[in-house]
mmCIF file of all heavy atoms in Angstrom:
data_model
loop_
_atom_site.group_PDB
_atom_site.id
_atom_site.type_symbol
_atom_site.label_atom_id
_atom_site.label_comp_id
_atom_site.label_asym_id
_atom_site.label_seq_id
_atom_site.Cartn_x
_atom_site.Cartn_y
_atom_site.Cartn_z
ATOM 1 N N SER A 348 2.308 0.847 20.456
ATOM 2 C CA SER A 348 1.140 -0.055 20.336
ATOM 3 C C SER A 348 0.953 -0.445 18.860
ATOM 4 O O SER A 348 1.547 0.261 18.004
ATOM 5 C CB SER A 348 -0.200 0.724 20.808
ATOM 6 O OG SER A 348 -0.478 1.621 19.929
ATOM 7 N N GLY A 349 0.160 -1.516 18.705
ATOM 8 C CA GLY A 349 -0.208 -1.816 17.254
ATOM 9 C C GLY A 349 -0.701 -0.746 16.294
ATOM 10 O O GLY A 349 -0.343 -0.531 15.275
ATOM 11 N N GLY A 350 -1.601 -0.010 17.030
ATOM 12 C CA GLY A 350 -2.198 1.017 16.313
ATOM 13 C C GLY A 350 -1.243 2.117 15.978
ATOM 14 O O GLY A 350 -1.220 2.665 14.731
ATOM 15 N N ALA A 353 1.009 0.974 13.111
ATOM 16 C CA ALA A 353 0.282 1.068 11.723
ATOM 17 C C ALA A 353 0.308 2.451 11.361
ATOM 18 O O ALA A 353 0.532 2.766 10.133
ATOM 19 C CB ALA A 353 -1.213 0.601 11.947
ATOM 20 N N PRO A 373 -4.260 -4.508 5.366
ATOM 21 C CA PRO A 373 -3.492 -3.722 6.419
ATOM 22 C C PRO A 373 -4.224 -3.479 7.677
ATOM 23 O O PRO A 373 -3.596 -3.097 8.747
ATOM 24 C CB PRO A 373 -3.301 -2.391 5.656
ATOM 25 C CG PRO A 373 -4.565 -2.230 4.814
ATOM 26 C CD PRO A 373 -4.799 -3.626 4.414
ATOM 27 N N PHE A 374 -5.544 -3.790 7.792
ATOM 28 C CA PHE A 374 -6.243 -3.546 9.002
ATOM 29 C C PHE A 374 -6.527 -4.890 9.814
ATOM 30 O O PHE A 374 -7.021 -4.729 10.944
ATOM 31 C CB PHE A 374 -7.593 -2.939 8.623
ATOM 32 C CG PHE A 374 -7.428 -1.782 7.675
ATOM 33 C CD1 PHE A 374 -8.225 -1.742 6.491
ATOM 34 C CD2 PHE A 374 -6.628 -0.673 8.024
ATOM 35 C CE1 PHE A 374 -8.021 -0.745 5.616
ATOM 36 C CE2 PHE A 374 -6.463 0.438 7.058
ATOM 37 C CZ PHE A 374 -7.302 0.356 5.835
ATOM 38 N N SER A 375 -6.104 -6.000 9.172
ATOM 39 C CA SER A 375 -6.628 -7.269 9.798
ATOM 40 C C SER A 375 -6.090 -7.550 11.172
ATOM 41 O O SER A 375 -6.725 -8.261 11.936
ATOM 42 C CB SER A 375 -6.374 -8.371 8.948
ATOM 43 O OG SER A 375 -5.007 -8.437 8.677
ATOM 44 N N ARG A 376 -4.829 -7.074 11.533
ATOM 45 C CA ARG A 376 -4.321 -7.299 12.897
ATOM 46 C C ARG A 376 -4.850 -6.266 13.978
ATOM 47 O O ARG A 376 -4.549 -6.494 15.121
ATOM 48 C CB ARG A 376 -2.804 -7.166 12.811
ATOM 49 C CG ARG A 376 -2.197 -8.209 12.020
ATOM 50 C CD ARG A 376 -1.921 -9.460 12.940
ATOM 51 N NE ARG A 376 -1.453 -10.659 12.024
ATOM 52 C CZ ARG A 376 -0.224 -10.948 11.714
ATOM 53 N NH1 ARG A 376 0.730 -10.196 12.394
ATOM 54 N NH2 ARG A 376 -0.025 -11.918 10.848
ATOM 55 N N LEU A 377 -5.582 -5.279 13.556
ATOM 56 C CA LEU A 377 -6.000 -4.272 14.606
ATOM 57 C C LEU A 377 -7.316 -4.623 15.225
ATOM 58 O O LEU A 377 -8.237 -5.182 14.445
ATOM 59 C CB LEU A 377 -6.057 -2.901 13.817
ATOM 60 C CG LEU A 377 -4.959 -2.557 13.060
ATOM 61 C CD1 LEU A 377 -5.116 -1.197 12.265
ATOM 62 C CD2 LEU A 377 -3.786 -2.183 14.133
ATOM 63 N N ASP A 378 -7.530 -4.293 16.432
ATOM 64 C CA ASP A 378 -8.822 -4.486 16.888
ATOM 65 C C ASP A 378 -9.852 -3.522 16.371
ATOM 66 O O ASP A 378 -9.511 -2.558 15.627
ATOM 67 C CB ASP A 378 -8.823 -4.450 18.588
ATOM 68 C CG ASP A 378 -8.515 -3.060 19.086
ATOM 69 O OD1 ASP A 378 -9.165 -2.148 18.453
ATOM 70 O OD2 ASP A 378 -7.851 -2.940 20.034
ATOM 71 N N ALA A 379 -11.182 -3.879 16.545
ATOM 72 C CA ALA A 379 -12.259 -3.306 15.800
ATOM 73 C C ALA A 379 -12.309 -1.712 15.719
ATOM 74 O O ALA A 379 -12.462 -1.064 14.696
ATOM 75 C CB ALA A 379 -13.567 -3.849 16.321
ATOM 76 N N GLU A 380 -12.025 -1.142 16.875
ATOM 77 C CA GLU A 380 -12.077 0.294 17.053
ATOM 78 C C GLU A 380 -10.905 0.923 16.179
ATOM 79 O O GLU A 380 -11.109 1.918 15.485
ATOM 80 C CB GLU A 380 -12.048 0.749 18.569
ATOM 81 C CG GLU A 380 -12.554 2.228 18.628
ATOM 82 C CD GLU A 380 -12.242 2.635 20.123
ATOM 83 O OE1 GLU A 380 -12.537 1.770 21.000
ATOM 84 O OE2 GLU A 380 -11.927 3.790 20.331
ATOM 85 N N LEU A 381 -9.667 0.439 16.526
ATOM 86 C CA LEU A 381 -8.475 0.966 15.778
ATOM 87 C C LEU A 381 -8.667 0.674 14.324
ATOM 88 O O LEU A 381 -8.253 1.478 13.441
ATOM 89 C CB LEU A 381 -7.387 0.267 16.305
ATOM 90 C CG LEU A 381 -6.700 0.728 17.467
ATOM 91 C CD1 LEU A 381 -5.454 -0.189 17.793
ATOM 92 C CD2 LEU A 381 -6.107 2.130 17.260
ATOM 93 N N ARG A 382 -9.320 -0.451 13.968
ATOM 94 C CA ARG A 382 -9.407 -0.806 12.551
ATOM 95 C C ARG A 382 -10.170 0.297 11.798
ATOM 96 O O ARG A 382 -9.936 0.848 10.758
ATOM 97 C CB ARG A 382 -10.220 -2.165 12.422
ATOM 98 C CG ARG A 382 -10.086 -2.824 11.136
ATOM 99 C CD ARG A 382 -10.717 -4.154 11.098
ATOM 100 N NE ARG A 382 -10.114 -5.072 12.023
ATOM 101 C CZ ARG A 382 -10.741 -6.283 12.435
ATOM 102 N NH1 ARG A 382 -11.802 -6.563 11.837
ATOM 103 N NH2 ARG A 382 -10.045 -7.045 13.199
ATOM 104 N N GLN A 383 -11.272 0.669 12.500
ATOM 105 C CA GLN A 383 -12.195 1.747 11.890
ATOM 106 C C GLN A 383 -11.479 3.135 11.697
ATOM 107 O O GLN A 383 -11.556 3.778 10.764
ATOM 108 C CB GLN A 383 -13.519 1.848 12.663
ATOM 109 C CG GLN A 383 -14.534 2.669 12.080
ATOM 110 C CD GLN A 383 -14.824 2.345 10.589
ATOM 111 O OE1 GLN A 383 -14.733 1.199 10.243
ATOM 112 N NE2 GLN A 383 -15.148 3.295 9.738
ATOM 113 N N GLN A 384 -10.599 3.437 12.766
ATOM 114 C CA GLN A 384 -9.962 4.718 12.717
ATOM 115 C C GLN A 384 -8.878 4.622 11.625
ATOM 116 O O GLN A 384 -8.727 5.614 11.018
ATOM 117 C CB GLN A 384 -9.062 4.823 14.121
ATOM 118 C CG GLN A 384 -9.759 5.354 15.275
ATOM 119 C CD GLN A 384 -8.964 5.429 16.397
ATOM 120 O OE1 GLN A 384 -7.730 5.335 16.386
ATOM 121 N NE2 GLN A 384 -9.655 5.444 17.707
ATOM 122 N N MET A 385 -8.204 3.467 11.401
ATOM 123 C CA MET A 385 -7.139 3.355 10.432
ATOM 124 C C MET A 385 -7.740 3.398 9.023
ATOM 125 O O MET A 385 -7.236 4.009 8.088
ATOM 126 C CB MET A 385 -6.316 2.084 10.673
ATOM 127 C CG MET A 385 -5.107 2.235 11.520
ATOM 128 S SD MET A 385 -3.885 3.691 11.174
ATOM 129 C CE MET A 385 -3.065 2.938 9.731
ATOM 130 N N ARG A 386 -8.896 2.769 8.919
ATOM 131 C CA ARG A 386 -9.568 2.898 7.737
ATOM 132 C C ARG A 386 -9.825 4.245 7.267
ATOM 133 O O ARG A 386 -9.490 4.771 6.079
ATOM 134 C CB ARG A 386 -10.886 2.085 7.672
ATOM 135 C CG ARG A 386 -10.886 0.641 7.587
ATOM 136 C CD ARG A 386 -12.248 0.106 7.800
ATOM 137 N NE ARG A 386 -12.208 -1.340 7.902
ATOM 138 C CZ ARG A 386 -13.094 -2.074 8.853
ATOM 139 N NH1 ARG A 386 -13.766 -1.290 9.622
ATOM 140 N NH2 ARG A 386 -13.070 -3.274 8.752
ATOM 141 N N ASP A 406 -12.179 -9.092 4.418
ATOM 142 C CA ASP A 406 -13.136 -8.491 5.496
ATOM 143 C C ASP A 406 -14.003 -7.718 4.697
ATOM 144 O O ASP A 406 -13.779 -6.660 4.226
ATOM 145 C CB ASP A 406 -12.337 -7.740 6.422
ATOM 146 C CG ASP A 406 -13.206 -7.128 7.537
ATOM 147 O OD1 ASP A 406 -14.435 -7.197 7.387
ATOM 148 O OD2 ASP A 406 -12.658 -6.636 8.572
ATOM 149 N N ASP A 409 -14.142 -3.945 5.545
ATOM 150 C CA ASP A 409 -13.132 -3.102 4.772
ATOM 151 C C ASP A 409 -13.650 -2.666 3.548
ATOM 152 O O ASP A 409 -13.611 -1.426 3.168
ATOM 153 C CB ASP A 409 -11.887 -3.993 4.483
ATOM 154 C CG ASP A 409 -11.018 -4.162 5.727
ATOM 155 O OD1 ASP A 409 -11.160 -3.629 6.811
ATOM 156 O OD2 ASP A 409 -10.073 -4.945 5.567
#
Side-chain angles (χ1 to χ4, degrees):
S348 69
F374 314 121
S375 59
R376 292 272 170 93
L377 303 172
D378 67 41
E380 194 185 323
L381 275 176
R382 197 177 299 170
Q383 190 50 30
Q384 278 176 20
M385 272 306 283
R386 285 177 185 133
D406 184 347
D409 281 349

